Amino acid sequence: MLSYLVNYLPENKDIKGTYSEPFVGGGSVFFNMNSKNALISDLNSELITLYKGIKLYPHKVWETFETFPEGKTAYYKIRNTVIKNKPLYYRAARTLFLNRTCFKGMWRHNRKGNFNVGYGGEERRWVITHQNIRLV
Ligand SMILES: C[S@@+](CC[C@H](N)C(=O)[O-])C[C@H]1O[C@@H](n2cnc3c(N)ncnc32)[C@H](O)[C@@H]1O
């Protein structure tokens, strides 16, 4: 969709003040804008945790993401981890891990607020590289 949408977006030089994107999601439009002065937000607080973690601790997020074991058993163990008192970089890495290894990258919670998408495999996990995290 991005190649279609860019035709309707302003150029960075034409944006006066702050570029604001309240439904940032995966950020394809935001990252394409490459704006130096931007405000992003999203209803999904775990997604915002992921962006904050990457912003503050890109290397720790990557190292943690990389060291999560592969396979279905590990996936459910990490999915069931209580994250309340875990550091920001861990919560960010876990969100990235769940998004990349759950079924088709779906995002869904049960009534208790726990992420409950089943395991989807490792194929989509290693599309992400350390370099991607640094660029983000
Ligand atoms: C399709 S994604 C956005 C795609 C993104 N703008 C891009 O460039 O790829 C939609 C996002 O909107 C968020 N969202 C849905 N309802 C919202 C609301 N009421 N307030 C803030 N964010 C919301 C969702 O959590 C989701 O991450």
Side-chain angles (χ1 to χ4, degrees), residues 57-69 78 87 89-94 97 125-126:
Y57 310 106
H59 303 298
K60 278 185 162 186
V61 170
W62 173 255
E63 277 168 20
T64 310
F65 174 76
E66 207 181 25
T67 53
F68 284 136
I78 293 159
Y89 70 84
Y90 179 92
R91 286 182 280 136
R94 176 178 170 275
F97 170 82
R125 178 171 177 185
W126 301 114

Side-chain angles (χ1 to χ4, degrees), residues 1 43 50 59 68 73 77-78 99 109 111 127-128 136:
M1 289 297 287
L43 190 65
L50 170 59
H59 303 298
F68 284 136
T73 307
K77 192 174 172 193
I78 293 159
N99 177 254
H109 288 84
R111 283 168 194 261
V127 172
I128 304 290
V136 167

Side-chain angles (χ1 to χ4, degrees), residues 2 5 21-31 41-44 47 107:
L2 188 61
L5 287 172
E21 191 165 341
F23 299 83
V24 70
S28 45
V29 171
F30 166 70
F31 287 113
S41 59
D42 197 285
L43 190 65
N44 184 339
L47 179 67
W107 194 264

